[in-house]
Amino acid sequence: MTTILHIDWTSCDGRGLCTELLPGVLDRDDWGYPVARGKAGRDRTDVPLRDADREAAQEAVFLCPKLALSLQERTGPARESRKPGR
Amino acid sequence: MSQARDTCQPAPPAAARQEPRLLAAGPDAGWDQHLDTFGPLDADVAAPGLLDALAASGLTGRGGAAFETWRKVTATAESGRKGLFPSRPVLIANGAEGEPLSFKDRTLLTHAPHLVIDGLLTLASALGGASMYVYAPAAGLPRVRQALAGRPGTKRVRVVEAPETFISGESSAVVNMIATGTAVPLDQRRRLSESGLNGRPTLVVNVETLAQVALIARYGAHWFREAGTAADPGTRLVSVSGPAPVRDVVLEVPGGVELSAVLKEAGMDPAPLSAVLVGGYHGRWVRPAAHVLSPVGPVAGTARPGAGVIHALDPNSCGIQATARILTYLANESARQCGPCMFGLPAMASVLNRIAGGERNPRLASELDRLGRLVSGRGACRHPEGTTGLVSSALEVFAADFRAHLAGYCAAPGGVAA
Ligand code: SF4
Ligand code: SF4
């Protein structure tokens, strides 16, 4: 069971509050949007968290002005890896 | 043996081409030709054994993602049964192709609409009576409407027009279009198989996949596997295009076919071709020699068909300029919802256009690579990683041209870098 931080990119406006609350997990990109540190592919939209980061992530979820963040428990295999396109 | 777009002729036997299956009823097949060729199919009779037959057949989605169809169907069926109030699933036939190089789904809807409808009715029945939709661009709709009007059991099938945008066929965009009239992808906190249209378990299936389902429901998994390879069974439709005078053609080819055989079948000599785009704008450039077309297999030597697009690059044109044009198009087709996609793709397009234009700056290539790594995996849909995959294949296949461009000249005979 892993806790993941889901970023809804359609809502996020990139002001970077979450990156301040989770400096070890999230960095800012060229345009101010959060990038998961050390993660690749879809793990940058559904970011796996370490236990130590859970509390700060909880706070980011509450404080994100665009309600773009959510926490999910992931069990078993990762979500189906949808490939580009249809 | 090329055939014009939107027509289908009886196929001469050839290495790359299977006896036609999907288009076997001939051009513009109406209800009578359909029945003459394939015989009747009672959806409710065929439904009970369908899931097992699909699993045994190994059919994968023909819309791009190439998931095993039975797994997708099973996931939707199971979440429909779960919960306090089991909810009736939704089944959507997806005929939106989006990209200019793809026309096989439109061809199929035009010439074999009844086969697609057979698949829709049978799969809906196997899902315990799912609600049914056909989603397709305007060009495909008249024949679909005509086919639906002419046969029993189709009153409940609703038809929705897909807009002509690149992203309109992405499965959550399909659901969004039907629900709200806007064909942009949705953030997916939950899978569509759990919660899609109106919160119901939703299955979006490519129209060719449905036509294959109709054939498997009739003739069984064993028959399906008589074409193709063990790893890539059955046939698939491909949209093949290339430099003039090659005409756009839809071919039905067996799984695991050699890419060069497909090119020859479409009237091209593979030898002088410098590169072929396989899988479409979200696909990859490959050298034509020694690649087989299959969704599975070692990366070296396998070209993934994606949504079945094969496009040969004119030997006289520059691969970097061709890629720059495609990337510019893709950047404009971003649904502009997600920051990394909305800002990142135009930034990539601008760098690649500078390289294509002959700017002498060795740092541009690494900047392109950095931007690609920055945007991928960060969007509500897979547009960013589909796009960066294409660009990274260009960096690989056209590596020599990149070096030439960055040194201020273009190696292609017809290319101009300056
Ligand atoms: S706090 Fe919310 S809106 Fe701001 S950058 Fe983070 S996710 Fe985006
Ligand atoms: S990733 Fe791009 S194309 Fe996909 S939903 Fe976001 S902005 Fe639109």
Side-chain angles (χ1 to χ4, degrees), chain A residues 6-12 27-36 39-46 67-72 75 77-86, chain B residues 63-65 67 94 96-99 166 169-171 185 187-189 191 282 307 337-340 342-344 347 370-371 373-382 385-386:
Chain A
H6 174 75
I7 305 171
D8 173 355
W9 296 106
T10 68
S11 299
C12 169
D27 195 0
R28 301 186 73 183
D29 71 8
D30 297 18
W31 310 281
Y33 293 87
V35 201
K39 296 282 184 291
R42 297 309 283 182
D43 276 356
R44 312 209 287 178
T45 291
D46 293 306
L67 307 177
L69 299 174
S70 56
L71 289 180
Q72 300 172 352
T75 45
R79 45 191 279 153
E80 3 176 280
S81 60
R82 291 163 59 239
K83 297 217 188 82
R86 287 133 278 273
Chain B
F67 281 135
N94 185 7
E97 291 177 278
E99 73 179 86
F166 185 81
E170 196 273 340
S171 51
D187 173 57
Q188 284 194 46
R189 252 165 258 240
R191 294 174 195 162
H282 277 173
Q337 300 195 94
C338 315
M342 172 164 69
F343 295 111
R370 184 189 73 87
L371 286 168
R373 277 184 284 115
L374 193 56
V375 302
S376 84
R378 298 169 67 223
C381 77
R382 305 207 162 232
E385 48 268 44

Side-chain angles (χ1 to χ4, degrees), chain B residues 187-200:
Chain B
D187 173 57
Q188 284 194 46
R189 252 165 258 240
R190 302 179 66 190
R191 294 174 195 162
L192 294 176
S193 62
E194 289 164 13
S195 175
L197 190 62
N198 304 321
R200 288 154 65 187

